Amino acid sequence: MSDEATLWLAFILIGLATTLPRASFIVLGSRVSLPPVVQRALRYAPAAALAAIVAPDVLVVTGDFVPLNPKLAGIIAAVAAAVLWRNPWLPFIAGMAVLLGLRAV
Amino acid sequence: MAASPFRAGAREGFLGFLPLSVGLIPWAMVTGMAMISTGLTPLQAMGMNVIVFAGTAQLGTLPLIAIGAPLWLMVATALALNLRFVIFSAAIAEGFRGADSPTRWFCGHLLTDGVFAHCVEKMLKVDDARWRLGYFLAPSLWSWLLWQASTMVGVFAAGSIPKHWSLEFMASIALLVLLVPMARQRPMLVAAMVGGATSVILRGMPLRLGLIVGIVAGIGAGFAAEHWHGRKEVP
């Protein structure tokens, strides 16, 4: 563990490395505008990012690609609940129930 | 009683985001526990939590803090993990037309994955700037409060919650629930599938760069699918 002052300096630098990317284009606003073609392409960023964040969590088990595992079953149950019913809490209940149920078997 | 546009936006933004925000709770608690198990004091842990306010960047840099790695490596790692926010920031920037500079900095600081995914569509569509600001700020401030409170629970409960409950799985569920309505458009579905597959294939890349490559590949695939499809389904 680094000493106290270095630690807080690290927090501030990591904080800057977070806030600057987040605020970048929101602050620059209309002074810097991306070409329309880039803006259209960026519409796919959220879908791509969400999938890229979640996929390794449900398809990789301790470093290996495992196509069939309790987490994937849980996610499928959660997605099915989200598609079939409007109740916003149901995907969480279904997903956790399937995950913990399969692990208990 | 006529509600102001700001309040109306805040109300709609908050109510829509509320169920999704439960996914933050386990994620924050896990982050709190991880900071304590790295060796931070509760004060240091909450200090980091307030200053950084980013689960992925915090969890990603903790191993480096633990070994006393050089500062530049911590910053580089945090930047790599946060690169996606440049994309999010550019995608949602139009929604802040009419807002002044301090407001933009404040909103930028509060921009998280969940808030972005929840807000981006209406931020670009709705005309009233006050409504948009309320619609963004209500879920953002709620996220901030819930994140700080839940992390504090994790900090003080470190060690007493059974790991086999896998509560952090709720974060994955929350992110995927956000994806479901997007994936009804064909190019979006293609973007998601390519992004997810690439990220899995490249999971071994250092600094989680596979995530960045996955996002870029997904955007490219979605864009290609849009052209392929003659842009019929794109509003």
Side-chain angles (χ1 to χ4, degrees):
Chain A
M1 178 63 57
S2 35
D3 67 77
E4 185 82 12
T6 314
L7 192 63
W8 287 93
L9 179 61
F11 294 164
I12 291 168
L13 291 175
I14 296 166
L16 283 174
T18 302
T19 294
L20 291 179
R22 279 178 176 170
S24 56
F25 281 95
I26 290 178
V27 169
L28 291 171
S30 52
R31 271 169 287 170
V32 176
S33 64
L34 291 167
V37 67
V38 176
Q39 282 185 23
R40 282 230 317 278
L42 286 178
R43 298 191 324 117
Y44 300 105
L50 290 172
I53 291 169
V54 175
D57 185 45
V58 299
L59 291 172
V60 177
V61 181
T62 57
D64 293 316
F65 175 67
V66 181
L68 293 173
N69 69 73
K71 275 191 172 179
L72 183 67
I75 276 292
I76 291 170
V79 169
V83 170
L84 295 175
W85 295 288
R86 306 206 89 180
N87 185 321
W89 304 98
L90 214 51
F92 296 96
I93 298 167
M96 291 306 294
V98 168
L99 174 69
L100 296 178
L102 283 177
R103 281 193 177 160
V105 171
Chain B
M1 206 170 73
S4 73
F6 180 87
R7 277 195 172 189
R11 189 183 150 77
E12 187 169 337
F14 176 75
L15 290 179
F17 185 68
L18 188 58
L20 297 170
S21 66
V22 295
L24 268 180
I25 298 172
W27 191 237
M29 285 173 60
V30 168
T31 305
M33 292 179 207
M35 288 189 290
I36 294 302
S37 63
T38 300
L40 301 186
T41 66
L43 178 69
Q44 289 167 343
M46 289 313 293
M48 181 185 203
N49 211 51
V50 168
I51 294 170
V52 180
F53 182 51
T56 318
Q58 284 170 245
L59 291 170
T61 51
L62 279 176
L64 302 174
I65 290 173
I67 59 167
L71 287 173
W72 69 263
L73 187 58
M74 294 181 199
V75 172
T77 303
L79 276 176
L81 293 173
N82 289 327
L83 214 55
R84 68 186 186 283
F85 287 123
V86 178
I87 297 171
F88 293 171
S89 190
I92 205 171
E94 258 299 290
F96 293 93
R97 58 193 184 274
D100 60 18
S101 229
T103 307
R104 285 167 184 260
W105 275 108
F106 184 61
C107 290
H109 176 71
L110 292 175
L111 183 70
T112 55
D113 300 86
V115 165
F116 170 77
H118 168 64
C119 291
V120 64
E121 204 184 333
K122 289 212 168 145
M123 288 292 285
L124 301 184
K125 274 187 187 157
V126 174
D127 277 330
D128 191 322
R130 287 164 301 170
W131 191 96
R132 289 198 309 267
L133 192 60
Y135 187 76
F136 181 85
L137 276 182
S140 297
L141 292 172
W142 168 246
S143 275
W144 193 90
L145 280 174
L146 190 64
W147 175 261
Q148 302 301 344
S150 308
T151 309
M152 201 181 286
V153 171
V155 162
F156 289 108
S160 56
I161 293 176
K163 260 200 142 173
H164 68 267
W165 283 12
S166 296
L167 288 182
E168 73 283 357
F169 186 57
M170 289 169 79
S172 291
I173 296 176
L175 295 175
L176 218 73
V177 166
L178 289 169
L179 184 57
V180 167
M182 297 179 192
R184 294 209 161 106
Q185 293 175 13
R186 181 75 58 83
M188 287 283 184
L189 183 62
V190 172
M193 290 175 74
V194 171
T198 309
S199 161
V200 168
I201 292 165
L202 298 179
R203 63 187 177 277
M205 280 180 82
L207 306 177
R208 287 191 66 185
L209 281 172
L211 178 63
I212 310 291
V213 179
I215 293 175
V216 173
I219 292 172
F223 199 56
E226 179 186 320
H227 278 275
W228 192 279
H229 228 246
R231 288 153 61 189
K232 266 178 296 183
E233 291 184 37
V234 180

